[in-house]
Amino acid sequence: MQVAQRIVWLRQSTELGGLSDDALTAIATELIETTVPENRRLVLEETVPDAVYILKSGRMETYRTSPNSLANVLSLLPGAVLYVQELLLDQPAERTTVTLSECEVWKLERDRVLALADQYPDIGRAFSRQLAEKLNEVTAQLAFEQERQTALRPYQVPRVKRGIVGSSRYAIRLRQEIRKASQDRKPVLIFGEPGLGKDNAAMLVHFGSDRRKQPMIKLNCDILQPNGGDLFGRVGGKPGLLEWLGEGTLLLNNIQDVPETLKPKLVHLLKTGEYFPVAREGEPDPTPRQSQARIILVSERVMPAFEKKELVGHVIKVPPLRVRKGDIETQVNYYINLYCTGKEMQRPRMTPEALRRLQSYDFPGNLTELENLVGRAIIQANGSPDLTEEVFWSTGAKAKRFRFNLLNGYPKVRQFLRSPWWPDRINYGFTLVAFAVVVGVLLFGPQSRDRNIALNLFWAWWWPIVLGIYLFLGRIWCAVCPFMIYGELAQNISLKLFPRKLRSWSRPEAERVGGWFLFGLFTLILLWEELWNLENTAYLSGCLLLLITAGAVIFSVLFERRFWCRYLCPIGGMNGLFAKLSMIELRAQQGICSATCTTYQCYKGGPQKGEGQETNGCPIYSHPAQLQDNRDCVLCMTCLKACPHRSVELNLRPPGIELWTTHKATAYEVCLLFLLFGAVFLHRLPEAWAWFAARFPVAYGQLPTPFTNDGLHLAASVVALSIPGAIALVAYGAMRGLVGTSKPRSFVELAYGYLPLVLAGNIAHYLRLALTEMGRVVPVTLATFGMSGGETLVAVAHPAVIAFLQATALIAGFWLSVVLTQKIARQSLWSLLPQHMAAFGIGAMMWCVIVGS
């Protein structure tokens, strides 16, 4: 091509047409024509170009790579002039240029470009004008983007929180629906229950689409202006969010709360893509504007007005967590990883029992509730490698029925229980010394009960009083128990002398073994008491108290907090069993614990916070919000003192209500129940033998009395302990074989129906001691210290009164057992008749050996 033809083409087809004839002629003369094959790179970004290139013919493209997004690609047309700016400013190329086809390219070498720029100043001026125009364009674009970001920032969604977790068919279908919706720009309606992460599903739709680089904003419909001014803008005034959004995505959250006056405008927007800016009253109707934004609606319920096919292109229903039980394990592991990564802590493992507990719960709060529950569980686990079922707790719908909070009704009760008096000053100011005195008197004082006040207090005072307390105050004795006072004292002293970390509890092992340990220990104590006549031998009773105290001390030195008290103490096991019948309970408001508490000081301990006092946490590791059984609370009120949110409650309730609502039956507890049942007959073994001998004289004549032979005495004692359990098992077998009845509950569940009769039988036995020897405290006290007198200060009930009260206790115990059995079983009276007859038979036997004797 001749120089003249080049000049004409350059002037007509390139941006160099504004140069002078001399400058253009000089450039045309220096151009080198070359042919570049397909798919060849001319210049690489971030390198200095060696020439200016002019595309004469063919196809090229230029792009700039990005580490966090797709490359920005531009196609080039013939006449494009490349890399003038970079050569004149001696800068590296900003973009890479490659050929898409064979191209004819004119090339002007670097040194000639610089020489011509020096020779012809209008080349530099033309470049300066071009640069100024680009700068103005960039400045205007930047100002627009800044204003746009300012308008959208309060509503902008930065990124997706998570994907759809799980492999169930519900999770797979949800992923498919989201993927399908992200492939076009049609409006989407997403609905489901609260707490399902529906806004996150909307984000997955947006960020999975081809316009993921465009902004996404989220608006809560309950705060939208009724006329839509904030969304659509105003005529001649402030632009609306739709105008600022451009080709981005608008997420309208909780569409069910949108103002009624705004619904028709939204329907029109979804149907036509048009909207009208808001005009002032009296002004003409505004011109409609076209929206390029994608609309996603999120609702907590079905919205027929927005579900029409001409309005939305996709309807996505997010399934509730209760139908996705198979995804719970994956979801929990995801939340555990998320929490532990954020806190830079070791990831704990969820036990199979914990997983089963979670899968048995319906999660009304769905994923939000599950995430909060996992976070609480990790905190409550306190570094343990396992998340057991005890650290997962959730709201129960029936937990608050038939309850009256005594702390609110009687503020002075709350004030006393939060004071230093309960139980610390009582324990360390009185019980600590009193117990030592009692044991000393038992070991070194007179040995008979009529001359030793300590023996009198132990058998005639403590047993009747503590049995009566169960119905009213549950396991409160454990809060002032001397065994654990000495255990805690030994624990604190040993830690000061030998600083170390005490062993943590292995809860599954303790639950599996501890109950059987205390059952065995209680059996040995009862047999020892009967064979060695403990109730009439002071030093042996003192040894019994010392042995239990030794167990508390040893396990307190080895393990943290009150391991002995919760799992191994035989007295604590009895207290926990009978506490189920109590008319009070300690619980917590789970809503407050879930939404407000983050420190869990009632469980873990911690410094003072608000009105919460500094404590070491629950001594038996029970969180008040997860309590469902009075067995797991010793009423020490540590949680009440520690809680800064007034969540802890001391409720008056129907006695024993947990036994037919939230109770979890265990085999070792049932064995303990029947052991205490048999203890009534064991304590009355002479009366039982006399009753048997009077009615079966022939048999009695053939058998020697068991009290003169240790072997026979032991055998008779074991038989006495086994009688109630054997009768109950026979009755259960008859109940299972009863024709026409429905299948009964398990024996372990139904056995708790005997609990009122067990307590009544033990109270009836100790009533005689209480109403005879309790009133002899003055002469017995004087006799203990070698003095005499006080016989005029004796108060003893008439035998008829004692018999009447014993009979009343047994009758009440029987009928309460009938009622409780019906509540637990929820079956007809006829189908449970064998168990009721067994309760009647055992009650009649106790009547014969207690009241009849």
Side-chain angles (χ1 to χ4, degrees):
M1 182 180 289
Q2 300 298 322
V3 173
Q5 293 175 320
R6 290 180 181 177
I7 294 172
V8 173
W9 191 87
L10 290 173
R11 192 177 296 281
Q12 293 177 350
S13 303
T14 70
E15 59 189 27
L16 303 177
L19 298 177
S20 65
D21 292 340
D22 293 340
L24 204 56
T25 301
I27 291 174
T29 304
E30 299 290 342
L31 289 175
I32 301 171
E33 296 184 6
T34 181
T35 300
V36 182
E38 179 185 359
N39 199 25
R40 290 293 178 87
R41 186 172 62 202
L42 288 183
V43 176
L44 178 65
E45 61 185 89
E46 304 300 334
T47 63
V48 179
D50 58 355
V52 169
Y53 298 93
I54 301 175
L55 178 60
K56 177 63 175 64
S57 64
R59 294 169 53 236
M60 286 185 181
E61 72 177 13
T62 177
Y63 62 85
R64 179 173 180 81
T65 58
S66 173
N68 51 19
S69 64
L70 297 176
N72 184 10
V73 181
L74 296 175
S75 297
L76 299 178
L77 299 174
V81 181
L82 306 174
Y83 304 116
V84 176
Q85 174 182 333
E86 284 83 353
L87 284 178
L88 292 179
L89 296 179
D90 194 21
Q91 293 178 341
E94 294 183 355
R95 307 175 71 85
T96 299
T97 303
V98 297
T99 60
L100 301 178
S101 65
E102 185 177 270
C103 298
E104 183 181 352
V105 178
W106 292 349
K107 181 179 179 182
L108 187 59
E109 298 291 345
R110 174 187 176 86
D111 55 347
R112 298 308 302 153
V113 173
L114 298 177
L116 290 173
D118 291 339
Q119 184 178 355
Y120 299 98
D122 57 334
I123 295 179
R125 287 195 296 271
F127 166 70
S128 298
R129 287 195 300 271
Q130 181 184 4
L131 189 61
E133 290 174 359
K134 289 184 178 180
L135 183 61
N136 290 334
E137 181 182 344
V138 170
T139 302
Q141 185 177 2
L142 181 61
F144 173 80
E145 285 297 328
Q146 287 178 339
E147 193 171 356
R148 183 190 190 198
Q149 289 297 323
T150 301
L152 297 180
R153 187 177 296 114
Y155 314 100
Q156 196 155 359
V157 176
R159 59 185 177 85
V160 178
K161 296 179 182 178
R162 61 180 176 273
I164 303 301
V165 179
S167 57
S168 67
R169 60 188 179 93
Y170 297 100
I172 293 173
R173 186 179 66 184
L174 182 58
R175 277 194 289 267
Q176 292 173 343
E177 291 176 343
I178 290 174
R179 189 180 303 113
K180 182 180 178 181
S182 65
Q183 293 173 357
D184 55 44
R185 298 285 296 170
K186 296 178 182 178
V188 182
L189 173 63
I190 303 175
F191 71 93
E193 298 176 2
L196 287 172
K198 298 181 290 296
D199 53 349
N200 186 71
M203 296 175 205
L204 289 172
V205 172
H206 169 75
F207 289 103
S209 69
D210 57 356
R211 299 193 187 183
R212 63 181 65 88
K213 294 182 182 179
Q214 296 295 329
M216 178 182 186
I217 62 173
K218 174 182 174 181
L219 294 177
N220 290 320
C221 292
D222 57 348
I223 63 171
L224 288 177
Q225 296 177 5
N227 61 6
D230 47 357
L231 191 59
F232 305 130
R234 301 181 182 275
V235 176
K238 184 178 178 181
L241 291 172
L242 275 176
E243 185 174 344
W244 287 119
L245 190 57
E247 295 184 348
T249 300
L250 171 64
L251 169 59
L252 293 174
N253 191 38
N254 292 329
I255 192 67
Q256 73 275 1
D257 297 329
V258 71
E260 289 295 327
T261 55
L262 193 55
K263 275 187 180 180
K265 298 181 179 181
L266 288 178
V267 170
H268 183 76
L269 173 65
L270 293 170
K271 190 173 183 179
T272 64
E274 291 182 347
Y275 67 93
F276 295 87
V278 178
R280 294 183 179 88
E281 188 175 352
E283 291 184 350
D285 293 337
T287 304
R289 297 181 184 177
Q290 193 70 28
S291 171
Q292 302 298 321
R294 181 175 198 173
I295 312 297
I296 300 181
L297 310 176
V298 171
S299 173
E300 291 184 354
R301 60 175 182 265
V302 177
M303 296 293 293
F306 293 102
E307 284 190 43
K308 300 175 183 177
K309 292 184 178 180
E310 65 271 14
L311 296 183
V312 295
H314 305 278
V315 177
I316 300 176
K317 180 181 179 180
V318 183
L321 189 56
R322 63 178 175 273
V323 304
R324 296 174 52 194
K325 296 296 181 70
D327 291 334
I328 286 180
E329 181 177 9
T330 308
Q331 197 79 51
V332 169
N333 288 330
Y334 168 78
Y335 288 137
I336 291 174
N337 286 332
L338 192 68
Y339 186 92
C340 294
T341 301
K343 299 292 185 180
E344 296 182 354
M345 58 186 295
Q346 186 176 1
R347 180 185 179 277
R349 182 185 69 90
M350 181 175 57
T351 63
E353 294 80 12
L355 175 61
R356 286 194 294 270
R357 178 167 186 172
L358 292 177
Q359 290 175 336
S360 66
Y361 181 57
D362 283 341
F363 289 99
N366 291 295
L367 295 177
T368 302
E369 183 178 5
L370 178 60
E371 183 176 8
N372 293 336
L373 191 149
V374 170
R376 291 196 305 266
I378 294 174
I379 294 175
Q380 194 168 328
N382 199 23
S384 172
D386 293 327
L387 296 180
T388 64
E389 61 177 328
E390 289 191 344
V391 299
F392 286 99
W393 46 275
S394 48
T395 302
K398 299 180 180 179
K400 304 297 293 181
R401 294 197 303 176
F402 312 117
R403 298 322 198 259
F404 172 71
N405 187 2
L406 296 171
L407 302 180
N408 291 339
Y410 302 96
K412 289 188 176 181
V413 173
R414 175 186 178 85
Q415 181 180 353
F416 170 72
L417 295 177
R418 284 174 51 86
S419 71
W421 282 99
W422 184 261
D424 291 344
R425 288 184 180 175
I426 295 175
N427 285 342
Y428 291 97
F430 171 74
T431 309
L432 184 72
V433 177
F435 182 73
V437 172
V438 167
V439 172
V441 172
L442 288 172
L443 293 176
F444 305 110
Q447 293 301 295
S448 60
R449 200 164 66 233
D450 61 341
R451 298 181 58 80
N452 190 310
I453 185 57
L455 199 60
N456 178 273
L457 290 175
F458 183 36
W459 294 101
W461 284 75
W462 185 84
W463 275 102
I465 290 175
V466 78
L467 288 170
I469 282 178
Y470 292 137
L471 284 173
F472 302 97
L473 300 176
R475 198 176 171 176
I476 200 168
W477 167 257
C478 291
V480 293
C481 173
F483 308 135
M484 278 315 304
I485 296 174
Y486 281 91
E488 287 181 344
L489 190 63
Q491 188 179 77
N492 294 333
I493 294 174
S494 70
L495 287 175
K496 288 182 179 179
L497 295 177
F498 307 101
R500 66 197 186 280
K501 184 177 181 181
L502 296 174
R503 296 184 183 181
S504 58
W505 303 358
S506 176
R507 290 178 182 268
E509 290 291 330
E511 288 285 353
R512 185 166 61 252
V513 178
W516 295 111
F517 175 87
L518 70 86
F519 166 74
L521 193 57
F522 213 117
T523 304
L524 293 176
I525 290 173
L526 288 174
L527 293 175
W528 187 25
E529 174 189 335
E530 173 63 25
L531 296 176
W532 291 58
N533 197 20
L534 257 66
E535 62 182 13
N536 292 307
T537 310
Y539 82 93
L540 290 179
S541 295
C543 290
L544 172 62
L545 297 180
L546 286 178
L547 285 174
I548 299 176
T549 306
V553 169
I554 292 171
F555 282 92
S556 296
V557 171
L558 295 176
F559 292 92
E560 59 184 354
R561 307 202 188 188
R562 293 189 180 184
F563 180 76
W564 170 267
C565 189
R566 174 152 188 173
Y567 292 113
L568 305 178
C569 178
I571 304 300
M574 179 186 68
N575 293 348
L577 180 65
F578 287 137
K580 299 174 188 289
L581 297 173
S582 171
M583 62 177 61
I584 70 163
E585 64 179 11
L586 186 138
R587 300 292 187 265
Q589 301 178 44
Q590 294 181 342
I592 293 179
C593 295
S594 300
T596 307
C597 185
T598 58
T599 57
Y600 308 105
Q601 289 173 261
C602 60
Y603 178 82
K604 297 170 57 178
Q608 180 179 358
K609 180 181 179 183
E611 72 170 39
Q613 302 173 17
E614 179 180 3
T615 68
N616 293 322
C618 178
I620 61 171
Y621 270 135
S622 290
H623 194 295
Q626 76 183 76
L627 279 174
Q628 295 183 331
D629 194 327
N630 274 5
R631 177 194 64 183
D632 298 327
C633 178
V634 297
L635 295 174
C636 65
M637 300 300 163
T638 300
C639 53
L640 177 63
K641 296 178 180 181
C643 180
H645 310 294
R646 295 208 168 204
S647 174
V648 178
E649 300 177 336
L650 187 66
N651 294 322
L652 189 66
R653 65 172 194 174
I657 189 173
E658 67 194 48
L659 287 167
W660 68 85
T661 54
T662 61
H663 188 252
K664 182 178 179 181
T666 57
Y668 69 81
E669 240 183 8
V670 171
C671 290
L672 180 63
L673 182 151
F674 284 111
L675 181 70
L676 293 171
F677 221 166
V680 178
F681 294 96
L682 182 66
H683 293 145
R684 294 286 181 156
L685 192 57
E687 291 88 342
W689 190 262
W691 179 87
F692 181 79
R695 285 154 182 78
F696 303 97
V698 175
Y700 179 72
Q702 294 174 347
L703 292 175
T705 178
F707 309 109
T708 59
N709 183 285
D710 290 342
L712 290 176
H713 196 176
L714 175 62
S717 300
V718 172
V719 170
L721 290 175
S722 306
I723 288 173
I727 294 175
L729 283 171
V730 171
Y732 184 76
M735 193 158 47
R736 289 182 62 89
L738 196 61
V739 179
T741 62
S742 58
K743 184 179 179 180
R745 289 177 178 265
S746 69
F747 176 75
V748 174
E749 292 178 287
L750 290 178
Y752 286 90
Y754 292 103
L755 192 56
L757 186 58
V758 177
L759 180 60
N762 280 275
I763 290 176
H765 165 69
Y766 282 104
L767 271 174
R768 177 179 58 82
L769 292 176
L771 297 178
T772 55
E773 298 189 21
M774 186 182 289
R776 298 184 56 82
V777 62
V778 175
V780 173
T781 302
L782 294 175
T784 303
F785 299 100
M787 295 180 285
S788 60
E791 295 298 334
T792 58
L793 299 176
V794 172
V796 178
H798 191 277
V801 173
I802 298 174
F804 171 78
L805 293 176
Q806 289 174 327
T808 302
L810 292 175
I811 293 172
F814 165 72
W815 284 111
L816 289 174
S817 288
V818 172
V819 173
L820 181 58
T821 302
Q822 293 292 145
K823 286 281 189 179
I824 294 173
R826 295 185 176 91
Q827 292 177 324
S828 67
L829 182 66
W830 168 252
S831 63
L832 296 171
L833 188 59
Q835 177 157 330
H836 299 327
M837 294 303 297
F840 179 81
I842 298 173
M845 293 171 65
M846 288 193 296
W847 181 292
C848 293
V849 299
I850 296 175
V851 181
S853 62

